[in-house]
Amino acid sequence: MSFVARRYGLSPSLLFSWKRRMLEGGHQAVHADEEVVGTSRVRELERRVRDLERLLGRKTMEVEILKEALDLARTKKPTSPLSSWGGSTGGSR
């Protein structure tokens, strides 16, 4: 370890703490029966979740707006039939 620390200009205690953290994380992952995932992958997945939640929110709003528009359109329908639809006698077939 000391050789590696000197070669890369790092403190040996820093390398030992990195090693300890790596081993602790590995033990936790093995104990939890989970895969060890890098932080960059976690950040990428969190960003993707945020984007999908934002998209879901937009789509939910669109659905609500369309439902309201449909309700308004239904209430504005005429209640009496049009005269041209009635059984008028004028017109040839």
Side-chain angles (χ1 to χ4, degrees), residues 14-47:
L14 179 62
L15 286 180
F16 283 112
S17 73
W18 286 350
K19 180 182 176 184
R20 181 181 46 81
R21 287 182 185 176
M22 189 262 322
L23 291 174
E24 287 173 358
H27 289 303
Q28 288 175 358
V30 169
H31 181 68
D33 197 26
E34 295 178 355
E35 182 180 340
V36 178
V37 180
T39 55
S40 61
R41 178 73 175 142
V42 170
R43 281 191 213 114
E44 176 189 338
L45 292 173
E46 287 173 342
R47 183 189 53 77

Side-chain angles (χ1 to χ4, degrees), residues 31-83:
H31 181 68
D33 197 26
E34 295 178 355
E35 182 180 340
V36 178
V37 180
T39 55
S40 61
R41 178 73 175 142
V42 170
R43 281 191 213 114
E44 176 189 338
L45 292 173
E46 287 173 342
R47 183 189 53 77
R48 178 94 171 118
V49 167
R50 275 193 310 274
D51 291 345
L52 290 173
E53 286 174 340
R54 193 174 301 123
L55 182 61
L56 177 62
R58 283 187 198 146
K59 294 300 178 185
T60 302
M61 267 184 30
E62 288 174 7
V63 166
E64 292 300 317
I65 290 169
L66 291 173
K67 281 182 183 178
E68 288 179 21
L70 189 58
D71 288 342
L72 285 174
R74 285 183 181 152
T75 59
K76 290 185 179 181
K77 284 186 178 178
T79 55
S80 61
L82 296 175
S83 61

